[in-house]
Amino acid sequence: MSGNVPLDELGLPDLGSDPTHVYRMGVMGGTFDPIHNGHLVAAQQAVGDLGLDVVLFMPAGRPAFKQDRQVTRGEDRYAMTLLATSDNPMFLASRLEVDREGITYTADTLQTLRDHYPDNVEIYFITGADAIIDIVTWHDAERIARLAKLVGATRPGYDLGRAERVLDSSPIDFDVRYLEVPALAISSSYLRRRVERGQSLRYLTPDSVIGFVRKHHLYGSGDEIVA
Ligand code: NAP
């Protein structure tokens, strides 16, 4: 259970029923403010490269490292994530973190998922490589290392050596791999800036997300936001 909501109502995929098969579930963690095509391409690339059965997109409720910053309501970020993933049968959006009270800790999310699924379901936690570098400082990092394999999605030209040095010098044994994703030249902050300037988001995020941003006047958009 998460709060008062049964787990099977939180958008969790049905996996693990065949005990002779190993299932691989990606958990795509991010603030998704807003979600964009870079996130979607990264998840699709992870499916191909890592042989994932499904990717669960997990918008953070109250992001741990963003307490001093204004973040769009979890409900709106979840709605955009749901819209963006709705046409891909391998992608699902989860309310698990937006419905959980308090600061969002990845260790809690992974523990909930680990408790829900049998051992033949492997969990791959996918997020930006910059976030992965900080993982040594996250709440209960040791537990994260026990619960999931980590996947750092990078932009081309990213200094992987730095990430490797930071994680190698940690006493915690993280199982981490990296994916280079050209589409990650796109970022949420770039999209927010474009909206502020009245510039188009077309081809940067799905049209359904653009419609949501416009309808709900997110990121300072007025009715005049260019589709
Ligand atoms: P962030 O610091 O805003 O993001 C760092 C970089 O990674 C940004 O360039 C960001 O680009 C990119 N990024 C973020 N999520 C991504 C994804 N799923 N795929 C590809 N690139 C991604 O990171 P954040 O969004 O706050 O946190 C990322 C994840 O780490 C979340 O699941 C969060 O809950 C978790 N986290 C946990 C703790 C903790 O447990 N203590 C602390 C920090 C973060 P965009 O802005 O374009 O996404």
Side-chain angles (χ1 to χ4, degrees):
M1 299 274 286
S2 165
N4 293 322
V5 187
L7 275 180
D8 54 6
E9 290 175 19
L10 291 173
L12 297 186
D14 191 12
L15 286 179
S17 54
D18 175 358
T20 65
H21 182 77
V22 174
Y23 299 79
R24 293 178 172 180
M25 178 171 69
V27 177
M28 186 75 169
T31 305
F32 301 138
D33 195 15
I35 191 160
H36 53 67
N37 288 345
H39 297 129
L40 297 167
V41 171
Q44 189 62 38
Q45 203 170 310
V47 166
D49 290 7
L50 304 171
L52 304 181
D53 294 285
V54 70
V55 179
L56 191 60
F57 282 71
M58 186 68 70
R62 285 161 205 78
F65 288 176
K66 294 193 172 148
Q67 300 305 305
D68 56 341
R69 253 187 278 172
Q70 203 191 335
V71 174
T72 304
R73 280 184 338 131
E75 202 58 51
D76 287 342
R77 290 181 289 105
Y78 168 73
M80 291 188 280
T81 303
L82 187 64
L83 287 168
T85 54
S86 61
D87 63 352
N88 187 330
M90 299 193 75
F91 290 177
L92 289 170
S94 175
R95 300 190 57 90
L96 192 58
E97 291 190 350
V98 293
D99 283 344
R100 199 164 64 219
E101 304 219 329
I103 297 173
T104 302
Y105 292 120
T106 298
D108 296 340
T109 305
L110 295 175
Q111 188 69 62
T112 302
L113 294 172
R114 189 65 279 161
D115 292 346
H116 180 70
Y117 287 105
D119 288 348
N120 61 331
V121 177
E122 292 180 350
I123 299 174
Y124 290 75
F125 181 73
I126 310 162
T127 193
D130 278 337
I132 292 278
I133 286 191
D134 287 338
I135 204 161
V136 287
T137 65
W138 292 8
H139 174 71
D140 242 345
E142 205 165 346
R143 190 151 56 109
I144 294 176
R146 281 200 308 274
L147 294 168
K149 301 174 192 302
L150 305 177
V151 184
T154 70
R155 301 176 163 92
Y158 185 84
D159 178 9
L160 262 188
R162 190 174 144 240
E164 283 164 356
R165 278 192 299 279
V166 171
L167 293 193
D168 285 352
S169 62
S170 162
I172 305 173
D173 191 16
F174 295 103
D175 181 345
V176 58
R177 65 219 70 210
Y178 296 92
L179 286 181
E180 190 176 279
V181 184
L184 280 177
I186 304 170
S187 70
S188 297
S189 58
Y190 175 62
L191 267 69
R192 294 195 299 270
R193 276 198 308 277
R194 289 187 65 85
V195 175
E196 273 167 26
R197 295 174 188 153
Q199 294 169 331
S200 173
L201 296 188
R202 193 164 244 190
Y203 310 123
L204 296 171
T205 190
D207 289 348
S208 52
V209 173
I210 298 174
F212 190 95
V213 168
R214 179 168 45 189
K215 181 172 172 182
H216 296 274
H217 302 293
L218 300 184
Y219 314 118
S221 67
D223 290 328
E224 76 289 350
I225 180 179
V226 190

